[in-house]
Amino acid sequence: MTALSLQAPPPPRPAEGQRQNAAQAQQQYSRAATNNATSSSPLSPRNSGLGAGGGAAPSSSHSSLNRQSALVMAQLRAQTANNSPVRNENKAGGPSPESLNVHNNASSSTSERPAVNGHRRPTSPPPAVQRPSSAPGNDQPQPLSARFGNGANRDSDPHNSNDDDDDDDDAEASTRPMKPPLVRSRSEFGSGRNNTEQNGVSHQELYDWGARHGFEGHYMSEDIISHLANNWYMYFTDKRHETTGNAEDTKFEIQDWRMRDRLKTVSAAIAVCLNIGVEPPDQLRTNPGAKLEAWQDPTVPPISKALENIGKSLQGQYETIAIRTRYKQYLDPSIEETKKFCLSLRRNAKDERVLFHYNGHGVPKPTASGEIWVFNKNYTQYIPVSLYDLQQWLQAPTIFVWDCSEAGNILLNYHKLVEKHEQEEQEQLLRNPEYEKLTLKPYIHLASCGPKENLPTNPLLPADLFTCCLTTPVEMALWFFVLQNPLKTNVSPERARKLPGRLQERRTPLGELHWIFTAITDTIAWTTLPRHLFRMFFRQDLVVAALFRAFLLAQRIMPVYGCHPQSFPALPDTRQHPLWASWDLAVDTALQQLPMLERKEAEGTPYEYVNSTFFTEQLMAFEIYLWRGDALSKKPPEQLPVVLQVLLSQQHRLRALILLTRFLDLGPWAVQLALSIGIFPYVLKLLQSVAQDLKPVLVFIWARILAVDITCQQDLIKDNGYNYFADILKPQETIPVNGQIVQTSHKAMCAFILAMLCKDFKPGQLVCNQVDIMSYCLHHVTYSEDPLLRQWSAICLSQLWKDLPEGKWKGIRENAHLKLTSLMLDQCPEVRAAVVHALTTFIGIPDLTDEVARIEEGIAWILLDLAADGSPLVRKESLVFFSTFIRRYENKFLVVAYESLVEESEYLIDPPPDDGLEHRMGLHYARRDDREGDGSIKTGTQGVSHGSVFAAAWKHVNVMSVDPHPEVRRDASVILDYVHCQLLRSPVGPRAQAVMDDILKRSHKRQKGNSNHKGSVLGGYYAASQPAQSPGLLKRTASYLFGPFMGGVDGPAGFGNQPMTPSLQRTLSLQRNRSKRGVDPPPEHNDQPAAPANYHMAKEPTSPNFKDRNLAQMPTLPLVSTFVDWSTEYFREPQMKLPEAEEPGSHEYNERIWRRSRNEGVLRETQPQKTWARTHKWTQPAGLINNGAQPTTLTFHQFEDHMAVADAGNTISIWDWKKNGRLSRFSNGNPEGSRIADIRFINEDDQALLMTGSSDGVLRVFRYYDNDNKTELISSWRGLTHIIPSTVNAGMVFDWQQVNGQVLVAGDERVIRIWNAGNEVWTHEVPARSGSCITSLTADQMAGNIFVAGFGDGAIRVFDARLRPQDSMVRRWRDESRQWIRDVHMQRGGQRELVAASRNGKVRLFDIRMDKPMKSFQATKDVLRTASTHEHLPVLTVGTSAHLVKVFDFDGQELSRLEPYSSFLQGHKGAPIAATSFHPHRMVLACASRGEHYINLFSCGNERAGRLS
């Protein structure tokens, strides 16, 4: 979003073209807004991904894939407008109910929330939930009819799904008349330009084109084509995926911008040594010469009053600088008087700064040793005053102003005498430890000239030129300008000095010039001085700042007349600074109006003074700085001090604040620059303003300040500044901006500001709890639609009651815990994590009453569900809660931990029988004698913790200790190790140690026994079921259990000798029970493997910035959350500008444009290949790759030359298939005994990610997958939580839908779970409607509403995700042979064919509107091992058990027969095919055989297939 948009925040990250145009429009609007002094800006940050406060919406970019589909549809619409045989489908995404002769149950699209695991879960969400929340349009096609005949209606009963699959035995009762089969085309396009004639195929021989399933009418819609072509969403690219909630190390040092040693000049002595009428002996006076002293002429009668007038005038000039400083004149002082007033000056000032002004125009010059001169009492002698004595009298801190000739001698000698003083005092201190040292530093000197320079005697100048520059800089500048003006005018220096106005009134000519002078000199100093000197001279003391500003003018004026002012500390020469030209312009503009102003005062002539354009021009220059690259290069802006001065003007204040917010948005470095320039007092004072138009900018500025420097908490409490933000946070409060009402983004900032006020700051908590901030936050958490506001409202609540019992009791009275727990299913992961954090800080009231315990246990019950959340960020935060909960109820968890150890031991002693009743025991386990007949545990034998929340929480922590995400796994292991350490230190420690030793002995014994049965199926399973990271009661990663602090019978246990856990052993009985259901797994799964799978052969990628545990440190609880610090980073990041990848001209943007062009080139190249592919042989070798391990899964990237290969274990290799080179190799991390089920590339149009699914039910997402050194795990979760780890195909299957960011997951469960990648939650579970496992899964990749599942019993079911889960099955096909479905696939392009291949070699093509297959043919008489369908070309391939790969067209004609390479030495000539895969666009086929490490690549050659056309 652009910097000054006055509109409500747009949806996060629209498509590239839209985003660019929007950004340009916003920028134009922003410039107009900043030029409008009456306008304001909400300065809403972009709401993309929420980062630290991120939302669930993914980012977006152009879709080459969908653009290709749009191009295809647009071209074919003209070709086939009159030829398509299917014309009566509705344009809502599926066949019309009329064409299917079915009932349209519109009410079926509204779903209720079925109970799942005892809790209500969201089901069949509305389109806004199915698509990312940032999607610009949620106009989704209407669902297919809820019932396709009576056959589908029978399955609507959710209780009808049982182990025996009874629904397949019922006869279908469909009475719909059969329609003639649809005529298929050979290709979407027909042949290329000349291919048809060359191949002897005429246009008349080509079939008419038509999309399957009634999709044609929908995808011909102009709206759909435009939407698909212009919108594409990127997933897993938010900040939470890049950091997993870990706050980055602060890249900036918080500078101390506050003046901790702030000093005030409280007293000043003005020593004027003129001795009017007497010339000093060493100074030559010219006649005429300079006479004016303090703008007074001492020769004007009465001469006796001249010295007194000069003293009064000089004091008045100083008083215009600082009125509160006590000034005293000392006119022609004697030596005694000098000593007296110096001592009095220091005594009155105490430790504050004093000013000593010395005018030595009537006494001799300072001596070479730096002595100055005064008089004796009778004024008959000049008496020298040693600097040594002066230092002793005045001490420090002091500022000296030396207005005399050769004043530089004073500076040269002053430092030497200070050193002498310090040396003497050190000696005194050695002799007398009680000696009180003098304070001689710090000191400041301003001298009029160098050591050998004399003051100018030009009669056109004042005699005290240096003093005039310091005390009346504007008058002196006017005087000097007239003298130096090369153009002749009637304005004399005297007239110019009398410019009308008052210095304190900025609207008057003189006041405006003084205002401009302050801004220019501050800017000159800002751009030339080091930051510490700038703060010391220009921000520490008002008097010092005014004198140093004027000193810069003296540096410019006096060298013209042969004098070079000196200072200590020395300032650089600023005479040539370009801003002096701006000053001359401002002076010239004012003097041009002087005659009219004089005439107005004298004669009353009406005239309106024209103000200078200086500030307007400087604000424009600052705006240009923000738009140019200087801001991005972090070059400090020259105009920042000017912006600070503009804040004093009500006329320019709003525009200056808007520009300031844009500057602060650049990052912490900009905030620190603004603070160091002195912006804080101004924005603090503005909190007392009631102006509505300032609210948005002030909220934004304060959010940025507190995000960088939280030490401003105390300042917000002063004068009740926090009420400014509390009032805006009110639910009914609105901020009108330019006719619009901007609420949520600024309310979110207010919640952030108040949260920072309370963070680790008890006074802030107390004042915030005195108002209704808690009520406001609870309202926003419950009702706000802005995820950023919900997130920060929850965080603000957490800070309101953290470690504050009064706040927690107030939360109980307002039912805060009930309102927060209702957000456990929030669509935004950051909101869910924030709610967990708020509940974590909520528990822990010191007075643990029954009511408190009941509330806290209820919270824990609800948070148990988060152990299965799809976001690692949320799971990590839930572990922080459980660690706090466990620490609070530690004694109870010690009991639970001990009972769990006993259960583990009993499980090893007396394993459960295969009676199918094991689930009756729930979370616990008991021996056979302690169970009832139905399998439940007898009441008398139940443990103390049976059925308690403590036992449930302990089991969930155990499960999370083997979480697929390393950070979650690490944190859970810390919790378990802490509890076990405390258990061993408890009174039952010896008994617990004995149980641990017994578990180790029995598990080692079982492992040895299992190794003797590797030849059997069961033995092989036992041998392979020792996963390195398997779920269980005792199995953990980096755990101390049986480790260095506890030990065991055989010392520390490694991964290889850890006990088999009950959860793994229980899967055996479930696996055996499955075979009793009548659907046996394919026999080849029991084949003796050629070689055991190797695991952990490559490095396993970790999450970004992952830090492993330090095993040398004992675990401690509770865990420390970094969520608030991570969320705070959102307000440090630029929010008003486009991301770098979306900024035209940036490197990332150019790369994205190149990829877009590359993708479109691939599409143009491959689209004309459809006819060629179905008429020519696929026997041309395209490459041979040695993978180094048995390939089991092959996947091509659409546009990159990448091929992902998974082996039989958990290793993934990424190959450049064109260059035959390996790009990377890494471990997927799935445990031993499981395998990688499938691989998908996601976000392929831009920078792709790699998603893997393993047979243990876990999904993982990797980025930088093609670089060994950069590969990172950005997300992982359990897609199926009750799956049985297995090496058979049915372990888990999944499909990725890029169009709506959904992952469909199924397998050895009776449901199909749909996960929303943008929200990282499963939106609903669709009943599989079968007792058989799901073996294959495919989905419509265009609209994402229809998906199809193949089952182990040969059935194929079609589901519509828009319907209620109970009614979502809209079609079912059965196979009488009840053969295992190897693959079912719906093309994403081409004719959108739906192809299914069974294990017995039968291939069927379906249209979801028809009851029976459109086409069926026998692809092989051997066992069909693999099947693949090309995404766009009308070809498919099957791999057989006879070492053959066959390629067919969709008419069932065999095009080619291939035999993959087999190693002669290994002798696997007849090995079955293990994997096949087509490239999504190109005519490339990859295949591999079992027992071989080689991957064969074939392409479609020039030889025509031997078939009839």
Side-chain angles (χ1 to χ4, degrees), residues 1235-1257:
R1235 69 176 188 90
I1236 300 172
D1238 207 347
I1239 301 176
R1240 291 285 190 276
F1241 289 101
I1242 65 177
N1243 301 345
E1244 290 176 278
D1245 279 25
D1246 198 57
Q1247 292 180 319
L1249 305 175
L1250 190 70
M1251 176 181 288
T1252 67
S1254 50
S1255 59
D1256 59 348

Side-chain angles (χ1 to χ4, degrees), residues 121-133:
R121 301 291 299 201
T123 61
S124 187
V129 177
Q130 295 188 27
R131 290 183 57 76
S133 60

Side-chain angles (χ1 to χ4, degrees), residues 1321-1363:
V1321 295
W1322 55 271
T1323 55
H1324 53 292
E1325 287 182 338
V1326 177
R1329 312 296 296 275
S1330 172
S1332 179
C1333 62
I1334 298 175
T1335 61
S1336 184
L1337 198 60
T1338 186
D1340 170 25
Q1341 295 294 338
M1342 300 295 285
N1345 301 316
I1346 305 299
F1347 60 94
V1348 183
F1351 291 80
D1353 60 356
I1356 298 174
R1357 289 175 171 83
V1358 182
F1359 300 88
D1360 191 330
R1362 295 163 296 184
L1363 302 177

Side-chain angles (χ1 to χ4, degrees), residues 1390-1403:
Q1391 268 189 271
R1392 315 297 310 287
E1393 294 284 8
L1394 177 60
V1395 182
S1398 303
R1399 177 182 170 273
N1400 61 357
K1402 181 184 292 187
V1403 176

